Amino acid sequence: MPTIYEVEHLHQPSGWLSPGYLEIDDRGVIVRVSGHRATSEETQTLAGFGVPGLSNLHSHAFQRGLAGRTEHVTGERAEANLWTWREQMYRFVDRLTPEDYEAIASLAYLEMLQFGFTSVCEFHYVHHQSGGARYDNPAEMSDRLIAAADRAGLGLTILPVLYAHGGIGKPPEKAQLRFVHGVDLYLALIDTLRSRRDRCATLHVGAALHSLRAVAPDEVRAAVAGVYAIDPAARLHIHVSETTQEITEVEAALGARPVQWLLDNVGLDGKWCLVHATHLDAAELAGAAASAAVVGLCPLTEANLGDGLFSLLDYHAAKGRWGIGTDSQCSTSIAAELRMLEYGKRLELRRRNVIARPADGLGSHSGRVLFDSALAGGEQASGQGGGALVPGRRADLVMLDGDRNVLLGHVPQTALDAWIFGGTQNPVRDVMVAGKWVIRDGRHPKEPAIREAYRDCIACLTQ
Ligand code: ZN
């Protein structure tokens, strides 16, 4: 039996329906959307603002365990940056057991749901035991992530990462041995993970290359060909151009800047997600926008690590596609990430409302432009099948509570502006993934157990 919801205000690609009627079938797919009650069948009423769930397009779930633990100066280095943070991360990852990996990911995934994400692209590179020995089950750590997403009820696009070198022409460091695969065993892992999909309808399997530092050109070509032989529609993600140091190294070794090399050598298209892409020159920016690839921005992680600011306005004006990820999990809040993205440019340019366009209907509201862009980019990068509350899409619905102070007195036109810019209170009240409620009235039934497992694990890890 389909379920029909009467939503007080329902987000639509072209505006809002107030009320909107949303009919969802037993498979969790939206079959009808209307501004009118079409039948005499019973409806369930949902007060507030109903928006599509967003896909978080870049996550390393285990790094949730490091949040707040690297915000001090150690005295070992005069300068702290991404590379010094990476040393701290390596020390943490060295101790992680499969149980820890699952416990930390469960908390991170629960928090993503609580802030309105309904799926995540997990850029997963911790595959083996500390020191590099294989687990009996080569997919052990991947299976832990699948279990964590299943426990939380979050859609998962798992992106096993190919990681082969410690840097261009360098063998892996000891701490990196947990990450390393040859191309053949890497492709075998993807095959294995695809067999897990019949257990979980919201599990998708894509692929990722760690970076052009960690994967050599011949390996990039072999992996891309191998992935497409398995699944011609597979999503492919890569870390790229996060720091100027990486650009210098890639340019010296490959003769081109990283995004330019990808444009010239692998043929970027809409299946690709370029994670960070912080430092692009004008030709790379135009090429990336024209390729229809998604740029995966992680505004709070990039701010936390001091990476730099992406040329968002030029890229957006060139109709470049982008979405947001929570990467190191120093935040899992959609509103906080989008606010950081817009505020970074406001501070740089000393102007307000920089991404919105005057006299452009919905496009004149910063909140709406930011949310809708991240929604489309997240769906494209994840392939989850949601991304809009329209017939044929998966029913991923997030209800924002109009009674929370942050939304009090707001109407649909300003609701997204208020959510993102109107305060730090989280108005997410109910979250539905694939037609099933996973959070109702702010409560997730497994939250106490997930928190307890995390508390136990982090106490051991940080002793
Ligand atoms: Zn990352």
Side-chain angles (χ1 to χ4, degrees), residues 58-60 63 123 125 239 242 275-276 298 327:
H58 191 66
S59 159
H60 309 287
Q63 292 178 13
F123 198 102
Y125 58 85
H239 286 141
E242 183 176 6
V275 180
H276 304 302
C298 306
D327 195 357

Side-chain angles (χ1 to χ4, degrees), residues 421-443:
F421 298 103
T424 54
Q425 195 181 36
N426 177 18
V428 173
R429 185 190 62 216
D430 312 303
V431 181
M432 172 192 284
V433 179
K436 292 196 187 100
W437 291 112
V438 291
I439 293 180
R440 282 316 296 263
D441 291 326
R443 285 198 197 86

Side-chain angles (χ1 to χ4, degrees), residues 113-134:
L113 286 162
Q114 289 171 327
F115 283 107
F117 287 112
T118 49
S119 61
V120 64
C121 300
E122 179 69 29
F123 198 102
H124 159 54
Y125 58 85
V126 186
H127 300 294
H128 316 303
Q129 299 181 48
S130 181
R134 274 31 180 181

Side-chain angles (χ1 to χ4, degrees), residues 214-253:
V215 188
D218 56 333
E219 293 159 340
V220 171
R221 293 190 184 93
V224 171
V227 167
Y228 284 153
I230 295 169
D231 177 9
R235 301 303 196 266
L236 274 158
H237 291 223
I238 185 168
H239 286 141
V240 71
S241 302
E242 183 176 6
T243 65
T244 49
Q245 179 182 329
E246 172 196 335
I247 291 167
T248 306
E249 288 176 19
V250 169
E251 207 167 12

